[in-house]
Amino acid sequence: MRNLLFVISGPSGVGKGTLVEELLKADGGLQKSVSCTTRLPRPGETPGRNYYFVDREAFERGIEENAFLEYDAHFENYYGTPRAFVEKTLKTRSVILEIDVKGGLSCKRQMPERTVLIFIAPPDLRALKERLLGRRAETEEQIELRLARAEYELSRREQYDYVVVNDDLQQAKEELLAIIQREKNRN
Ligand code: ADP
Ligand code: 5GP
C-alpha cells in the first residue's frame, strides 16, 4: 500500500473541513497536516488542531527558511503547509492536506508521483452561499470575498485528478473513501 499526499481543495464553505473530519474518523491510516496561518482563529477553532496561528514575522521567517512545502496569501493572510511534518509523516502514513488549488498544484509539481488532487465542488453557487451564511463565521464582506474567490477556485477544477460534488454529505464521504482506497492500493 502506498503512502500518498491527498490534497482536498474547493471553495470556502463547500464542506472541506466537515468532510476531512469524517475521513479521519473513518480511515485510521490518514493523518491531517495542520497548516500555519497568520489569520485570527474563528470562534470554536483550536490552535494546533485547525491551524497553527502565527504572526506575520514568524511566517515570513518560515518562508526564508524553506519551512513550507507550499504557501500562499489569501484574504490578506498567509497560509502554508509545514514541509518537515509532511515529509516525516509520509514515511509511515498517508497525509491529507486541506489547501487551495494553487497550493495543491504546487504540491503536484513537487511530488507528482505521490500527490492526489481532489476537488470538492458545491451542487451550485446558491448552496455555497447558504453554507457560508449558515456557518456564521464571517462578516458579510468576508463572505463576498470568499464567494468571489470561489469562482477562481471552481475554474481550476479540471486540473484536479478527481471532482467530488458535496451535495449529500454521506455520499460525498463514501466517494472520497473509495478514491483514497483505490489510490493507496494502486501499484
Ligand atoms: P469549508 O471547510 O470548505 O470552508 P465547512 O466544512 O466549514 O466548509 O462547511 C461549511 C458549512 O456547510 C458548515 O456549516 C457545514 O456544516 C455545512 N455543510 C458541509 N457539508 C454539507 C452538506 N453536504 N450539505 C449541507 N451543509 C453542509
Ligand atoms: P480559511 O480562512 O477559510 O480557513 O481558509 C481560506 C483558504 O486558505 C481556503 O481556500 C483554504 O483551503 C486555504 N488554505 C488553508 N491552509 C492552506 C495552506 O496551508 N496552503 C494554502 N495554499 N492554502 C491554504
Side-chain angles (χ1 to χ4, degrees), residues 23-178:
L23 296 179
L24 294 174
K25 272 190 252 165
D27 183 341
L30 289 173
Q31 175 76 51
K32 185 185 159 156
S33 161
V34 178
S35 294
C36 293
T37 183
T38 56
R39 87 150 159 76
L40 295 174
R42 291 188 192 122
E45 283 186 329
T46 315
R49 201 171 97 88
N50 303 90
Y51 285 103
Y52 295 108
F53 297 98
V54 301
D55 62 25
R56 243 187 140 72
E57 203 179 295
F59 200 101
E60 287 174 349
R61 208 174 324 118
I63 296 174
E64 277 171 30
E65 292 168 355
N66 199 25
F68 299 112
L69 178 63
E70 62 73 38
Y71 72 93
D72 202 4
H74 309 285
F75 317 120
E76 299 176 340
N77 284 300
Y78 284 124
Y79 294 76
T81 304
R83 180 191 298 281
F85 175 83
V86 172
E87 289 178 352
K88 186 186 81 192
T89 308
L90 278 175
K91 292 189 177 134
T92 54
R93 302 168 89 181
S94 287
V95 174
I96 196 154
L97 298 184
E98 195 190 314
I99 63 176
D100 78 321
V101 281
K102 231 167 116 189
L105 293 169
S106 170
C107 290
K108 187 82 170 180
R109 278 194 298 275
Q110 296 181 68
M111 297 190 200
E113 300 299 320
R114 282 215 149 175
T115 306
V116 179
L117 299 176
I118 308 176
F119 191 93
I120 311 292
D124 51 50
L125 282 174
R126 197 171 55 96
L128 185 65
K129 188 167 185 178
E130 278 167 12
R131 286 180 200 175
L132 279 169
L133 287 169
R135 187 165 69 181
R136 296 175 185 276
E138 287 97 356
T139 63
E140 209 168 304
E141 192 189 345
Q142 285 169 329
I143 288 178
E144 286 308 321
L145 274 173
R146 280 170 154 71
L147 283 171
R149 168 93 193 166
E151 302 203 9
Y152 166 80
E153 295 268 330
L154 287 165
S155 74
R156 296 293 187 94
R157 64 204 268 174
E158 280 85 18
Q159 288 171 271
Y160 266 50
D161 300 314
Y162 297 95
V163 177
V164 171
V165 178
N166 181 21
D167 189 354
D168 177 74
L169 186 67
Q170 188 61 27
Q171 199 180 322
K173 173 187 152 185
E174 300 296 333
E175 250 179 81
L176 283 167
L177 285 170

